[in-house]
Amino acid sequence: MLALIIKDIALMCAIGGSLALIMVLAQKWLNSYGEVNIRINGKRDLKVTGGNNLLVTLGDKQIFLPSACGGRGSCGACKCKVASGAGPVLPTEKPFLSAQELAGSVRLACQIKVKTDTEIEIPEEIFNIRRYNATIAEIIDYTYDIKGITFNLGEGETIDFKAGQYVQLETQPYGKIKQKVMRAYSISSTPKLNDRIQLIIRLVPEGICTTWVHQYLKVGDQVSFTGPYGDFYLRDTQADILYVAGGSGKAPIKSILEYLAEVGTNRKMTYFFGARTAKDLYLTEEMHDFENVFDQFEYVPVLSHATPEDNWTGKTGFVMPYFKDAIRDPKNTEAYLCGSPGMIAAVTKALKEYGLDEDKIYYDSFG
Amino acid sequence: MRIKSTTTVLDDNMKTTPTEDKIRARMAPGVLTLNGFLGDDKRSINEIIADDEYTLNQLGISAEELAERMEFFQSKSFDSFDGSITIEGVFDVETEVVRGYLPCPFMHSGIYRKSFTIVTNKATGKSVRYSALNIHLIKAHHFFEGKNSHFRLEPTELVNTLWNK
């Protein structure tokens, strides 16, 4: 009787083990799509191993699409046109895609599994994006909640970017944070100093990355980032310029001004910086110093909530009413805006009312 | 008590479903936000929702009505960047937007702007602060977050501040 029971148990174990083995092998085979070709922009072929998502697959080949959530499908940044090879649009993609994008075969790279030969279209600038390792060289407290952090690239490394572009900083696990996240920050230093970058980062309540930067990063730490990204950069024209920024939106404008200070310009430029109170102002002297560098430049800080303690004698309220005096020819004026979506919307509306062409209003929205 | 949200139907008893386990994991510190959505609350998500639902019943208001009121203040103040506006003569409202978006921990599709709306009831002097995600969590899931969570909202405080009764 006992022998019979043992035999049955052994038989069941054997069957169970066999089934488990079959499942493991099946999973391996089913998830292995072998070598797959990704044709990029109709001219470049990339041989990859299928089975991973498009974002990761391209990243493994040093092609970095923007992504702020690390491929979790929550940021919608990794859009690219997939002409063929992708399955139907997933429910996880739809909230991020407009009707126009859906009609144009735009997809979220992090949600598409590479299973078969695939054709994609991505901007040529993407090929300039690289992953960099850097060392924290300097941390400056600009305000109570804004820091400037300088990252020195590795020995012999340089980064080629346009003033106004951004990078994606990758956090390391810290405290109770077990996973890495990536967040976008504008470069605030000049492209001429290409062996380093500076970022200006404001502490966001409950922000995983900004808390890491503000409370954990220290000089000498090693970090990684990818970049450069973005189409917010100085256009090479002779038009007058209005800059409008608030908070950490000062970063790309600082980069543009430092760049122009090095290459020289005769363009008429006015820079409006909106802040709530005097304690939210920073780099004020440095910005005013540009008035001595350029022939036609004015820095105009404007406080919306100046307090008696601020002893503020400058401009107050919204920035928009002050544009009038700064615009001499609206059809020959470009605007560069960086700040919250509300600010961008209000300023854009005002600039159009002053006669600026919408296609000459460039912005980097926090949204 | 059986609570039904738009994405999950939770058990009547204390057992957790795989879905709730997954949601709870997304609400943990460091997954979507620094300190997560549950604070030091040891109750199940079902219990948190049920207890706040009970409070709402006592107050005679639904989660949807409350969320719509929150949304009303946020949308009115959204375009007034770097400034507050007065609504209905008694509410000072301002909304600050920072870079980025947050997804819903209940795995709803969609993302919510990282924005913080502060409503001050000048009649009572009381203020409440909430995010765009808070509005969604209350409207769609009746979820006010766990006790001592950074963005926990007390239904009673919300009702007492957002209406001038």
Side-chain angles (χ1 to χ4, degrees), chain B residues 77-102:
Chain B
S77 66
F78 184 75
D79 289 335
S80 179
F81 76 95
D82 268 341
S84 62
I85 58 168
T86 301
I87 296 173
E88 297 173 0
V90 73
F91 301 102
D92 277 346
V93 188
E94 58 184 299
T95 294
E96 182 189 14
V97 180
V98 296
R99 198 182 277 274
Y101 291 85
L102 285 172

Side-chain angles (χ1 to χ4, degrees), chain A residues 72 74 202 206 276 304, chain B residues 31 35 82 94 96 111 113:
Chain A
R72 285 184 287 169
S74 61
R202 183 180 178 198
E206 284 289 275
R276 287 176 63 82
S304 61
Chain B
V31 179
N35 289 301
D82 268 341
E94 58 184 299
E96 182 189 14
I111 48 173
R113 197 185 292 284

Side-chain angles (χ1 to χ4, degrees), chain A residues 72 74-75 91 95-96 174 176-177 179 183-184 186 202 204-206 208 211 274-276 304-305 318 320 340-343 346 364-367, chain B residues 26 29-36 78-84 94 96-103 109-111 113-114 116 129 149-151:
Chain A
R72 285 184 287 169
S74 61
C75 72
F96 300 94
Y174 68 93
K176 51 193 164 189
I177 309 300
Q179 59 191 20
R183 295 288 185 266
S186 296
R202 183 180 178 198
V204 173
E206 284 289 275
I208 293 175
T211 301
R276 287 176 63 82
S304 61
H305 289 69
F318 290 128
M320 289 85 84
S340 69
M343 182 275 249
D364 179 4
S365 169
F366 289 172
Chain B
R26 283 167 65 87
V31 179
L32 299 179
T33 62
L34 181 64
N35 289 301
F78 184 75
D79 289 335
S80 179
F81 76 95
D82 268 341
S84 62
E94 58 184 299
E96 182 189 14
V97 180
V98 296
R99 198 182 277 274
Y101 291 85
L102 285 172
S109 59
I111 48 173
R113 197 185 292 284
K114 285 186 185 174
F116 311 102
R129 178 173 178 269
S149 165
H150 190 83
F151 278 98

